[in-house]
Amino acid sequence: GVDPRPIPGYVGYVPGNARLSIPALRLADGRAGVGNGAKDVTLLPAPIAATASWDTGLLLSFGEVLGNEEWRKGTNVSLAPSIDVVRVPEWGRTFESYGEDPYFNGQMAIAEILGIQSQGPIANANMYLTMNQENNRFKEDSIVDRRTLHEIYLPPFESAIEEGHVGTVMCAYVKTNGSYSCENPYLLTTLLRKQLDFQGWVMSDWDATHSTVASAKAGLDQEMPGAKYYGAAMKEAIASGQLSTATLDEHVRRILVTMFRFGLFDKEQTGSWNSYVRTPEHAAFSLKAAEQGTVLLKNADGLLPLSDGESIAVIGAAGGAKPKASGGGSSGMIAPYVITPVEGIRKRLAGHAQVSYADGSDRAKAAEVAKAAKVAIVFVNTDDSEGRDRPNLELPNHQDELVEAVAAANPNTIVVLNTGGPVLMPWIDKIGGLIEAWYPGQEDGNAIAAILYGDVNPSGKLPLTFPRTAAEIPTNTVAQWPGVNGSSTYSEKLDVGYRWYDAHHVQPLFPFGYGLSYTTFKLSRVRVTPAKIAGGDSTANVRVDLQVKNTGKREGAEVIQVYVEQPQKNGEPPRLLRAFTKVDLEAGQSKSVTLNLNPRSFSIYDPELEAWKMPSGRYEILVGTSSRDLPLQRDVEVTDHQMHN
Ligand code: BGC
């Protein structure tokens, strides 16, 4: 790479070569739309909100909108998506990522990458690998065993490469087992090239390159954003024989072949950084994505949806004075506008009921405003950003006290969370309704109004666990996070996210996969076929068929989730998500649903064999609508097999 700074806008710029007709590379950030200060772009909801839809079709469209705007801005490499598994709930970049399950993240990655790349830009799977915390991120060393790497942290990248056909991968700031990601031969060559057969190119995260020879030999193709190690220093390393021209050629080949593969030598790209790229269709999509990703967590006595005639008090900075539509850091954006919640609610009510507002800075005033209305809605938020983890899981700025004060003043209190991830909610029993709206993008207020008034029936589900207490989380020792002497020890091993809660019999506040609706659903008639598969059969396919019925009075959508309970002979966590699908149903409607399991659904990674294997035994197939609501169960037997070589 060459220093991007002469070119305004793009966060990365590699000049072309006119003599050889090689086009320039223009790289831009943006996980919720085009970032780096770009104007006239669409601010989408944060990725964690989009994935809370549990709808891969929505992620495909998300990628299309993002990729389309990037391309029309002149970007040909889009630095999205961010697909690391959320290991630490305080992680400052949780909002930019997808969630805590490797399979889930992989499915979302495939969809978003296909969407981005369908519009012209080459996508970028980041951040590779074990980029799981911001604290000490330029030096942190993740100490993690190989089985855990394969079963938890690698699968999203595997899916991105094998099924998403992603063109580039970004190596991360951190170290894995003593070696920086961008000069780690095990990560860059053994896993990425040999095991996953990645054909695209690897670029470093910004200033994450630490060496010339070691990086080039380990498999780093491109230093970004400058040429500190891959410019003159590389010429010298070749001249002195420390590096072969064959190694250099291989790096160049990977970059050029990928550029050819994506048509960068053929396609004409007319847009520039100043192009106006947002459209009404993209705004409509931003609204839809925010609505689909909103998760209804509590609805005591059917308090929600609200009816138009009731007076409303909107409380909290995020409710009006300071809407929290996006997170900070390199995915931060210039929003064309943000509809605040109080604006959205006023517009929705169109004068049918009174809407008052208090920003919450004065608690007594907020309680007074709340008391005067039929229903009080408190908006609380975290200010998550790249570069720093949250210090703990508590809401900042005394917002717990604000909720307590409002709930004491009004029995019909609803809390809306604008957070990048889980928070503790000591007041949970004192409120009537709870909604996780994440960082919802430019249509914030319109989306929350549609949910509150039932114009849209909520159908989002949590892509990560919400703990009950600060101690009841998988990474609850300092050795695990933020680490001791620069090392974070992944001693929880496979017990990441809901796996830990299940393995330790800990009841979370809200489990992975959880989310309510204004209607009700019933699952029935589950059939799993065949009931027996051979341990060595790499083509085995197990079908899960069932019926799902909307048993309520309004249309809605339910997410069917299939978990496999392992025989647990080798220390594996009890249950793993292995398939899911979202189904739209009219009131009273039934549909048949089919999901498929494959050999990987029954496999564990054996670090001694350096291969996946299917332990024989009885596997329970659990079907339901959250990781803790799995009423339908069947088994599949994996039989012993002879190894044939
Ligand atoms: C971030 C990357 C980003 C890059 C360029 C880094 O600090 O970790 O996600 O793509 O900056 O802005």
Side-chain angles (χ1 to χ4, degrees):
V2 164
D3 196 306
R5 265 138 288 215
I7 304 293
Y10 309 104
V11 73
Y13 180 73
V14 184
N17 180 318
R19 186 175 62 85
L20 301 173
S21 303
I22 301 173
L25 290 173
R26 292 173 300 276
L27 298 79
D29 271 312
R31 307 214 156 92
V34 188
N36 312 129
K39 298 213 177 85
D40 308 314
V41 297
T42 304
L43 175 60
L44 296 165
I48 195 79
T51 60
S53 70
W54 284 62
D55 180 353
T56 52
L58 188 115
L59 264 285
L60 180 74
S61 307
F62 190 95
E64 286 167 353
V65 170
L66 173 60
N68 180 271
E69 294 197 1
E70 292 274 18
W71 185 253
R72 287 163 56 235
K73 280 281 186 189
T75 307
N76 52 19
V77 182
S78 173
L79 301 175
S82 245
I83 62 180
D84 291 279
V85 163
V86 178
R87 167 181 182 253
V88 175
E90 296 92 340
W91 185 33
R93 301 186 83 165
T94 298
F95 73 94
E96 287 181 62
S97 193
Y98 286 162
E100 71 187 19
D101 181 78
Y103 168 78
F104 178 86
N105 283 20
Q107 295 305 300
M108 295 298 166
I110 295 166
E112 185 174 344
I113 289 163
L114 293 176
I116 293 170
Q117 294 188 162
S118 74
Q119 302 300 304
I122 304 175
N124 176 262
N126 58 66
M127 285 108 14
Y128 184 79
L129 197 63
T130 71
M131 186 65 219
N132 303 115
Q133 66 181 62
E134 295 303 284
N135 287 357
N136 195 27
R137 69 170 171 160
F138 300 118
K139 292 212 171 98
E140 186 265 323
D141 188 5
S142 307
I143 309 299
V144 51
D145 67 88
R146 289 193 174 179
R147 180 174 175 197
T148 301
L149 266 186
H150 279 83
E151 293 193 25
I152 304 289
Y153 300 102
L154 196 57
F157 290 90
E158 185 174 1
S159 299
I161 290 164
E162 288 176 358
E163 291 177 69
H165 311 293
V166 74
T168 67
V169 167
M170 182 190 283
C171 51
Y173 288 125
V174 295
K175 298 175 192 161
T176 301
N177 296 327
S179 161
Y180 277 113
S181 298
C182 296
E183 58 183 38
N184 189 319
Y186 180 69
L187 294 190
L188 298 181
T189 298
T190 310
L191 295 184
L192 209 52
R193 299 291 173 187
K194 298 202 176 130
Q195 209 166 296
L196 302 183
D197 195 25
F198 176 54
Q199 299 290 329
W201 89 80
V202 177
M203 71 179 72
S204 71
D205 198 341
W206 268 230
D207 301 312
T209 310
H210 294 272
S211 60
T212 303
V213 175
S215 300
K217 285 192 172 162
L220 174 67
D221 301 307
Q222 185 178 50
E223 173 188 8
M224 287 307 287
K228 184 168 169 201
Y229 295 102
Y230 272 33
M234 183 169 269
K235 246 186 200 164
E236 217 170 280
I238 288 173
S240 68
Q242 286 175 281
L243 210 58
S244 69
T245 48
T247 302
L248 175 64
D249 288 349
E250 179 60 15
H251 293 309
V252 173
R253 194 191 61 78
R254 285 174 188 155
I255 297 171
L256 292 178
V257 166
T258 309
M259 289 171 71
F260 277 111
R261 191 187 125 210
F262 280 86
L264 297 194
F265 285 84
D266 318 312
K267 285 191 233 165
E268 219 202 313
Q269 202 174 355
T270 50
S272 75
W273 192 249
N274 294 323
S275 299
Y276 185 105
V277 298
R278 68 190 178 93
T279 67
E281 291 75 26
H282 292 178
F285 175 76
S286 188
L287 172 60
K288 179 181 169 187
E291 291 167 349
Q292 295 298 309
T294 301
V295 188
L296 177 62
L297 293 172
K298 179 172 180 180
N299 191 12
D301 308 319
L303 178 58
L304 290 161
L306 302 173
S307 53
D308 311 23
E310 298 162 335
S311 59
I312 300 291
V314 176
I315 315 278
K322 227 175 149 216
K324 190 63 203 166
S326 59
S330 63
S331 76
M333 291 192 43
I334 298 187
Y337 59 84
V338 174
I339 308 288
T340 70
V342 69
E343 280 166 3
I345 291 167
R346 284 200 171 119
K347 193 163 91 184
R348 171 61 179 72
L349 287 174
H352 289 298
Q354 229 215 302
V355 183
S356 50
Y357 175 68
D359 70 8
S361 53
D362 177 340
R363 271 200 296 288
K365 171 91 188 302
E368 205 177 291
V369 170
K371 196 169 197 151
K374 180 80 201 300
V375 176
I377 311 175
V378 195
F379 288 79
V380 293
N381 70 282
T382 56
D383 286 304
D384 299 354
S385 174
E386 176 185 339
R388 55 166 198 260
D389 291 328
R390 283 197 257 144
N392 53 51
L393 293 172
E394 284 163 31
L395 281 169
N397 306 326
H398 308 286
Q399 293 177 95
D400 285 333
E401 291 156 41
L402 176 65
V403 175
E404 299 271 2
V406 172
N410 189 320
N412 300 320
T413 292
I414 295 159
V415 173
V416 177
L417 305 168
N418 287 129
T419 64
V423 288
L424 299 176
M425 292 176 264
W427 32 258
I428 185 75
D429 295 329
K430 299 178 187 156
I431 59 163
L434 179 69
I435 295 172
E436 174 59 272
W438 317 100
Y439 298 154
Q442 67 190 33
E443 294 288 331
D444 182 354
N446 288 333
I448 197 66
I451 296 284
L452 288 167
Y453 288 93
D455 306 332
V456 170
N457 190 350
S459 62
K461 302 268 183 177
L462 294 178
L464 27 72
T465 307
F466 277 46
R468 193 173 284 281
T469 71
E472 290 172 320
I473 60 167
T475 47
N476 58 16
T477 66
V478 287
Q480 290 169 289
W481 174 84
V484 173
N485 296 328
S487 295
S488 298
T489 306
Y490 288 38
S491 53
E492 73 286 353
K493 297 184 184 234
L494 303 173
D495 290 344
V496 172
Y498 66 87
R499 290 160 163 76
W500 182 87
Y501 293 83
D502 291 342
H504 293 261
H505 308 285
V506 173
Q507 182 66 39
L509 183 58
F510 297 111
F512 175 80
Y514 180 80
L516 302 169
S517 167
Y518 296 149
T519 185
T520 48
F521 302 93
K522 191 165 177 0
L523 312 187
S524 64
R525 307 228 298 265
V526 68
R527 285 200 311 142
V528 173
T529 46
K532 208 182 258 187
I533 56 175
D537 182 358
S538 62
T539 63
N541 176 50
V542 173
R543 259 178 79 129
V544 179
D545 292 285
L546 69 145
Q547 287 281 313
V548 51
K549 181 170 189 190
N550 179 344
T551 48
K553 291 201 171 59
R554 58 166 76 211
E555 67 161 341
E558 182 57 292
V559 178
I560 314 299
Q561 304 168 32
V562 177
Y563 294 77
V564 174
E565 187 166 306
Q566 301 176 297
Q568 297 176 61
K569 294 178 192 166
N570 305 285
E572 40 276 341
R575 287 178 289 284
L576 308 182
L577 178 73
R578 293 305 202 189
F580 62 91
T581 187
K582 192 166 185 175
V583 190
D584 292 308
L585 294 156
E586 300 293 332
Q589 192 184 12
S590 285
K591 279 187 184 168
S592 318
V593 178
T594 302
L595 300 100
N596 291 287
L597 301 173
N598 58 37
R600 181 61 73 83
S601 315
F602 303 95
S603 296
I604 64 172
Y605 184 78
D606 185 332
E608 250 114 75
L609 289 176
E610 294 186 30
W612 291 87
K613 66 177 184 196
M614 288 160 77
S616 60
R618 245 195 42 197
Y619 290 70
E620 201 86 44
I621 312 297
L622 305 116
V623 184
T625 57
S626 100
S627 65
R628 289 288 175 108
D629 182 10
L630 298 165
L632 306 177
Q633 319 197 342
R634 297 286 182 275
D635 8 288
V636 166
E637 193 188 330
V638 173
T639 58
D640 272 327
H641 69 292
Q642 303 292 311
M643 288 282 251
H644 299 287
N645 276 328

